[in-house]
Amino acid sequence: MAFWIASSPHNHIQKETSALMRLVIFATIPGILAQWYFFGWGNIIHIGLATATALLCEFFVLSLRKKPIKAELLDGSAILTAILLAICLPAVAPWWISVLGAMFAIAVVKQLYGGLGHNPFNPAMAAYVMLLISFPVEMTTWLPPRELWPVEYTFMDTVWMIFTESTQLGYSAEQLRTHIDGYTMATPLDTLKTGLTTGLSVSEVTTSPVFGDYFASGWEWVNAGFLLGGIILLAKKAIHWAAPVSFLAMLWLCSLIGYMVSPDLNPSTLFYWFSGATMLGAFFILTDPVSGATSFKGRLVFGALAGLLVYLIRNFGGYPDAVAFAVLLCNMAAPLIDVYTRPRTFGHQTHGLGVAGNKQGAKK
Amino acid sequence: MQSIINRIENNQFWKFHGGIHPPEQKFLTNSKPIKPLHLPELLIIPVQQHIGVPGDILVNIGDTVLKGQSLTAPTSPMAVPVHAPTSGTIEKIALHVTAHPSGLSELCIFLKPDGQDKWRPRELCEDYKTLDRSDIIRKITDAGISGMGGAGFPTHIKVDSKPNIDFLIINAAECEPYITADDLLMREHSATILDGINILRHLLIPRLVLIGIEDNKPEAIEALKKATADINDIHICVVPTKYPMGGEKQLIKALTGKEIASGGLPIQQGIIMQNVATCYAIADAVINDKPLIERVVTVSGQGLEKPQNIWAALGTPVRDLVSLCHSTQPADKKAIIMGGPMMGFTLPIDTVPVVKTTNCVLVPSEKELNLHNTEVECIRCGQCAEVCPSNLLPQELQWSAKAKDHDKLKALNLFDCIDCGACAYVCPSHIPLVQYYRIAKAEIRQQELQDIKAEKAKARFEARKARLERERKAREEKQRKASEARRAAMNNSQEGTNAKSAVAAALARVKAKKAQDTGVSAETSTEATTEVKTETLSPVQAAIARAKAKKAAQAAQSTELNGDNKAPETGANAGADATPSDDKQSKVAAAVARAKAKKAAKAKQEAASQTPEENVPAEQTLAGQSSAEQEKAEEQMNTAPKEKPAADSKQAKVAAAVAKAKARKQAKAKAEQAESITEGSAPSQDEPEKTDVTSAEVTAKTDAAEAIETTEAPANDKKAKIAAAIAKAKAKKAKQSSNDLDESTDDSTIENPLKEGTVESKANSTTDSSAEDSDTASEVKPANDKKAKVAAAIAKAKAKKAVQASNAGSSEVDDTMEKADAKSVNSEADVAETEVNAEPLNGNDQSAPAVSSISQQKKARIAAAVAKAKAKKQQQAESN
Ligand code: SF4
Ligand code: SF4
């Protein structure tokens, strides 16, 4: 008779890491749909490309590292990384952008650091920043929303565009971005930035059609989609609310202060919320547990820091959107934040390890 | 306090961090009455069923025992006996696997029931209130009652405590899933439980009795409420269901808001906690004289057809209980868990007996518990930290445990982990966190044991090394002196200072004898010489001496300039000493020396009276290897610094001990020297002086000495040079020894939390240096007319040296005396300064009230310079 021996506890919740990842992947769907609706098939094609590349890469590296391939390949983390990266890419970016990005994210940022759970940076954001720095032209060729397209742009056009860099009829991405009036349309954030540097006030800049009826034509709906996904995740307790909430609150607070100080140079607070990658960042990137802070307080600090950085970089930095940079900077700060926000252990007078603990460590 | 009671009365309770809500599964068993006692074929009664020590076995194989007869007798207050659950014969006494997470085999008594269930004579007690307190406690002890909820802490120890108990908390939370034993017991026997509580109240006189019970046991709550309806100071505290509510610290926090400090006990906060089942057992024991021989066990799990609660005799093999409930599990795939699913442990075989702490036997079905998950990497999701009731960071603990980083684990408070398993329960990566912690804890405990052993070995080794080194030095010193004496004899005639030297030699002899006779401390001998000198020397000689001393000081100054980077300042000051109040100076010096000597004498007395108490056997063993003389000294040293961390008064003791050790050393040294002087008296009447000359020559070899030579060349008179050289050499030596001191101190401080090593080496080197120093001193003193000066300088320098030594990071052993001198309380950081100021002050007090403050200061500075110079010499002497 063989008795089964194990260590307590002998009971366990049914949740699994892979299930968690799957849920997060499903939660991106509303945002992706909005993206598809306003910006065409581009991102969906990129998602396919990036996912395939990511899985191949993961398979390759895992077999090199002699890891259990099946379990880790299907834990969903690689797929999620690929999807998040592809969502961030411009819809007309060439195919090799997403392939390179996914390879970098999986092979370098994730696996070289030791695989799932060991990567200090968010793979998707690190890859995004790498691409942005290496291929600035491709990475800033954003398509305006569907209603502003000057020509017909079908699924096949998109495929052509991504693989040959021109549509079936030979239009280039540049031409797609050209407004009927003859100027190049950029993202609302871009437009705002350029406008402000040329001396226009916010109200003057926002007359541009890319801003649409509310804050940022098309983008606002994409953000709303990701917000919805985020709320689903929160409701399912798949993510913790601390980081997104403190991130959004901080961003709101900063923009409010900016707006009150000089309304001419600062767009409204909600513009910050509903443009760029704000919502994606808040609910899907900052909540990445691996590269974030772990404790509750730590997450509050982490989110707030990211919010502040996004505001600062959007307003004073060289790049129009800032989520990726802010996230990477926060990833770097996360271990430190963790050390300083250790909770007080039950029955102890002083807080965790904190500074004192470090000193102790140094002495040893 | 009142606010706490108010809150409790309003049923407003507190929250503890974390906690989980695993499926309770209590419905499996909580609707059926407890099945009456069932006696198996064979009872296997482990001799030890609680923490603490096992008792002595009272029975032999083949003996017939009666029900309730004790089978063991406790050998310590922490032990309780075990009893025969029924009448029968002892079949064997052998090792058997018992209820233990690691499946340990322990000594068990195998009892074959005879089926008659015949009681031993019992004396029932109608009214426990008529009994003596101690009688009740004796009854509880004799009944073998130990905590029936958790670790099995002997109950009589908990209930026999001092008064001032605020809260008696009855733990009825029963937070583990599946278990309903306490629930059923409360429903069926609330009256007996209340009796038990009343007995506890009678014993402990708590302000308030709180019964902590989770809100998932409405019937039990009802029953208890009914039973306690007319008692005002018993509160039924219904708390929300949350695992691990039944944890001792968690329940206390939830009921009273008090947090039991890490490593502390509830009793320190005026709280005592008892389990309901224990209360029942207490009532049974005190009123019915029935020892703890049976208990309610929940036999549950979906692997059973009829899960239920059973009255089980202690010693019943688990197999019997399981078969009573009809296991449906295939025989080849069986899992039996003793305890609940969260903190229970799996059993290696099914004949493990029920013991006093067994509250549940769980037979899960294959699917029931998620048993077969595979561990994946931690994704730092932080869910484990959210549920940890101790507010730990399980994920960080896990990384450190995997990395075997024990320091980090301790810093993360691994030992505050209560093994509740909440973290592992929620971990989406299915990491068996608790298992990692258990292993890490065991490793750390193991490591600590080894560390202690290694530490002891190291201390012993270092003591030996220090002793050997000391002996070697002593030998070398002897040889050196002999050879110097020979050389001095050769130079003798050229010097032509015979007359003076003769006197000096005579003096030296007298002094040596004196020192030998009295065996006084280093300081005392200094005093002696100083006094002798002051008395015998003519004023003229004194004046000359002073002048020389000054030169010496200057020489010292230049030495500093060359060698010591701290020196320039001091040197400059000494150089500026243009208006000497020389008479006073020497007087002051003498006074200081005397004062010190007195101190030392006093200290010695103290030491004499105190050391005996402080001689710890352990230290004696340590020192056991050394020779008789050293042994004593070391004993004192060991003892003394051990006291160091304590208050100031201890420091004084330490100082005393050191002084005594020194005195012994000194006596020995003197004896040796006296010998050598007597032996070589004919050819070397002025031997000491020659020695000085030689040492000056030796010194001259080094750079620093060369520098002196150059600086002094135009100035001087040979003796001044000699003096300077002496001073320098001495200083070097002192420095060297203080360096040694530093090193050893550093080393041992780092590696040795127990301070034993530190103590040993520190004390040794202190003694070394002082012994050497006094050797040198006595060498120099008899030499000639510059004695007064030199003596004064020595006295000061010694003090200084002590300060330097302590300044450099060792303990303030010597320094304490100095500080006492100066009547200054604070110390370490700027002892040097204190010292400089203290000396003149003393002079003022005792013999030279007229000395101007300026010259005092200057003198002090000179003293400092001399001291440093001496330190250098010491160093050099060492290297030579
Ligand atoms: S087992 Fe230890 S670390 Fe895990 S939740 Fe319980 S107390 Fe915290
Ligand atoms: S619950 Fe598990 S996966 Fe999450 S942080 Fe804790 S150990 Fe890591």
Side-chain angles (χ1 to χ4, degrees), chain B residues 762-780:
Chain B
K762 212 187 290 168
N764 283 341
S765 37
T766 316
T767 325
D768 275 357
S769 60
S770 55
E772 277 161 25
D773 205 38
S774 44
D775 280 354
T776 327
S778 41
E779 218 177 288
V780 173

Side-chain angles (χ1 to χ4, degrees), chain B residues 431-562:
Chain B
I431 303 171
L433 295 161
V434 183
Q435 192 177 350
Y436 283 117
Y437 305 154
R438 284 209 192 104
I439 294 169
K441 281 181 193 168
E443 278 173 0
I444 291 176
R445 286 201 193 101
Q446 188 71 25
Q447 185 67 44
E448 272 167 0
L449 282 180
Q450 276 174 5
D451 281 354
I452 290 169
K453 261 193 222 154
E455 216 44 76
K456 279 192 185 139
K458 187 164 170 260
R460 235 176 287 136
F461 170 73
E462 262 165 19
R464 191 180 125 83
K465 212 169 76 180
R467 179 173 54 84
L468 291 179
E469 178 68 4
R470 229 166 26 237
E471 285 171 3
R472 186 183 63 79
K473 269 189 203 149
R475 264 199 314 279
E476 279 175 3
E477 183 74 358
K478 233 177 178 173
Q479 282 168 359
R480 193 177 61 83
K481 267 187 223 149
S483 75
E484 276 168 4
R486 249 175 278 124
R487 243 184 296 171
M490 283 198 298
N491 292 340
N492 184 14
S493 53
Q494 296 153 16
E495 281 298 320
T497 43
N498 283 349
K500 240 194 248 168
S501 306
V503 177
L507 259 171
R509 250 169 275 130
V510 169
K511 211 182 333 121
K513 208 169 162 220
K514 199 167 157 192
Q516 196 180 6
D517 288 346
T518 50
V520 286
S521 74
E523 273 76 14
T524 321
S525 71
T526 316
E527 177 205 24
T529 42
T530 320
E531 270 170 13
V532 170
K533 273 172 251 148
T534 357
E535 279 159 24
T536 32
L537 292 179
S538 70
V540 183
Q541 276 174 320
I544 296 167
R546 249 170 272 129
K548 274 178 207 149
K550 213 167 151 205
K551 289 240 176 67
Q554 272 164 3
Q557 165 205 350
S558 48
T559 316
E560 319 280 87
L561 282 170
N562 288 313

Side-chain angles (χ1 to χ4, degrees), chain B residues 176-249:
Chain B
E176 275 249 15
Y178 291 91
I179 307 180
T180 54
D182 289 350
D183 185 3
L184 268 283
L185 192 68
M186 284 186 280
R187 290 190 209 180
E188 296 185 10
H189 298 278
S190 56
T192 318
I193 291 172
L194 184 64
D195 282 340
I197 294 173
N198 281 330
I199 293 169
L200 287 174
R201 278 169 73 206
H202 179 64
L203 284 176
L204 297 166
I205 321 169
R207 275 221 225 178
L208 219 54
V209 179
L210 307 176
I211 303 179
I213 184 165
E214 282 188 343
D215 58 9
N216 59 358
K217 300 183 245 310
E219 289 95 340
I221 295 170
E222 217 32 65
L224 284 179
K225 279 203 170 137
K226 242 205 250 143
T228 61
D230 51 346
I231 306 175
N232 265 337
D233 58 357
I234 297 184
H235 281 272
I236 316 282
C237 306
V238 183
V239 288
T241 301
K242 176 161 100 169
Y243 179 85
M245 182 60 82
E248 188 177 55
K249 291 182 176 183

